[in-house]
Amino acid sequence: MKIKTVLFFLASLLLAGLMATIGWLTPPAVEAGSLSIQQVVPGVWAVIGENGNANAGFILTRDGVVVVDSQINPRAAEAMLREIRTLTTKPILYLVNTHAHGDHTFANHVIRPTRGIIAHERAKVALATRGPQMLKAYPSIVGARNAEGAKVTLPTITFTDQMTLPITDRTIVLRYLGIGHTVGDIIVWLPDERVLFSGDLVFVNQLPWLGEGETREWLKTLARLKTLPFEHLIPGSGPVGNRKSVDRFERYLSAVRRAVVEAFLKRQSLEQLKRTASFPEYSHDLKYREWLPLNLEHAYRQMEKER
């Protein structure tokens, strides 16, 4: 259920004394400007971006708060922080960047975690080497308004394969499962709560921007992801999903690759493929018309090198 921020704010005032005592509360979903903030399980929240913009999330613990991705811009990050402060007065301990792209990292400087910003080592390299170029191009990608205040802020903690956060009352595991949307994607997995933040390894009810994605390796990575026991999926974009959401996204990547293979066999050009290919299962997904041609072109160029 969703209610207006103002109603939630009034309710939070009545419960302020209780909040101070127990550290955090568990009210229903609320609106934070253009963000939809939804509790997935007690203390684990998904922040869903408007119109397919990047998702984020946060986890409330006895020690403090763990934030997953910093949002598309400082304005959205500040809205998320305001909502966190209606739930707890405890510090922001960690910010986890699921990958290097600006819509997940360019508001890192707003979050200001006390213990550090965590990412895969490859994501840090990408931000350090290509961050200024990505920042320069950011207004043309997300729009001038959405790019206001964006900034490159590098992770301060990196890992290679797996990292478990030193949190008293929750097990929070960060894992690198392989190349997918980028070379440095990680997941945030809460095994006890059976919740998984996938970052842009999974999109729900919208087409992905394949961009740097390597579809062949991406499918292998999704197969590894599916071996983990989870029920709730917070994707990089789109609504909260589940295991079936991963299956559906996996089918999309496979369908794109299959369409390209068939085009090769028929000796179709890329332009012919773009004109004729269609994926009815996904035709009502967000960004279907805008990104399907781009996805086909990306996969076509990539698979030419695989031949």
Side-chain angles (χ1 to χ4, degrees):
M1 183 180 69
K2 294 184 178 181
I3 59 175
K4 299 292 186 181
T5 302
V6 63
L7 296 179
F8 177 77
F9 177 69
L10 292 174
S12 66
L13 288 178
L14 295 175
L15 294 168
L18 178 61
M19 185 191 304
T21 302
I22 66 173
W24 52 271
L25 302 172
T26 56
V30 299
E31 294 293 333
S34 63
L35 305 179
S36 172
I37 300 185
Q38 173 186 346
Q39 185 171 221
V40 179
V41 299
V44 181
W45 296 74
V47 181
I48 308 300
E50 182 183 33
N51 296 325
N53 286 340
N55 292 345
F58 54 89
I59 304 160
L60 306 177
T61 80
R62 188 178 304 157
D63 301 333
V65 184
V66 177
V67 175
V68 181
D69 287 329
S70 64
Q71 272 293 311
I72 190 171
N73 56 35
R75 189 173 67 258
E78 288 162 0
M80 178 170 63
L81 286 177
R82 285 194 297 271
E83 292 305 322
I84 291 173
R85 286 295 162 237
T86 67
L87 299 169
T88 182
T89 58
K90 292 182 181 295
I92 309 295
L93 301 176
Y94 297 101
L95 167 61
V96 180
N97 288 155
T98 57
H99 61 291
H101 288 162
D103 55 338
H104 295 259
T105 64
F106 281 176
N108 282 357
H109 59 292
V110 175
I111 306 300
R112 297 186 294 276
T114 59
R115 296 185 184 177
I117 302 172
I118 307 174
H120 190 267
E121 59 185 11
R122 289 181 174 179
K124 181 174 182 177
V125 170
L127 269 175
T129 57
R130 295 189 291 110
Q133 291 175 311
M134 289 193 288
L135 185 62
K136 186 176 181 180
Y138 200 51
S140 65
I141 296 170
V142 301
R145 170 75 169 151
N146 278 332
E148 287 179 2
K151 181 180 177 181
V152 176
T153 304
L154 296 181
T156 58
I157 302 169
T158 62
F159 68 98
T160 303
D161 296 313
Q162 180 169 312
M163 178 179 182
T164 300
L165 300 185
I167 300 293
T168 302
D169 60 324
R170 288 192 192 270
T171 301
I172 303 175
V173 181
L174 314 182
R175 289 191 62 177
Y176 175 71
L177 299 173
I179 294 171
H181 182 65
T182 71
V183 297
D185 298 280
I186 61 172
I187 62 160
V188 180
W189 176 42
L190 286 74
D192 296 335
E193 291 82 2
R194 299 179 72 84
V195 175
L196 190 147
F197 292 81
S198 70
D200 280 355
L201 282 175
V202 181
F203 289 68
V204 174
N205 294 349
Q206 80 174 64
L207 262 58
W209 177 69
L210 292 187
E212 301 171 46
E214 296 186 19
T215 53
R216 180 172 59 183
E217 295 302 315
W218 199 334
L219 287 166
K220 294 176 184 177
T221 298
L222 289 177
R224 297 183 195 104
L225 183 150
K226 288 168 63 175
T227 66
L228 300 175
F230 67 92
E231 296 175 10
H232 310 282
L233 175 86
I234 302 171
S237 291
V240 173
N242 51 36
R243 298 190 69 87
K244 290 182 179 179
S245 305
V246 181
D247 293 337
R248 184 176 186 271
F249 184 68
E250 187 178 47
R251 286 198 304 275
Y252 172 74
L253 293 181
S254 295
V256 169
R257 288 186 61 86
R258 187 164 54 251
V260 173
V261 169
E262 290 173 358
F264 288 159
L265 293 174
K266 295 175 182 177
R267 300 185 182 278
Q268 282 185 324
S269 68
L270 174 58
E271 291 309 313
Q272 288 174 315
L273 173 63
K274 288 181 180 181
R275 286 196 303 269
T276 59
S278 66
F279 303 91
E281 181 180 358
Y282 307 92
S283 61
H284 296 293
D285 281 17
L286 195 63
K287 301 186 185 296
Y288 178 81
R289 292 185 181 277
E290 302 96 319
W291 285 359
L292 180 58
L294 298 176
N295 286 183
L296 290 168
E297 180 168 356
H298 176 82
Y300 192 96
R301 301 296 187 200
Q302 184 184 81
M303 292 173 68
E304 280 183 319
K305 298 175 183 178
E306 294 177 9
R307 296 170 73 181

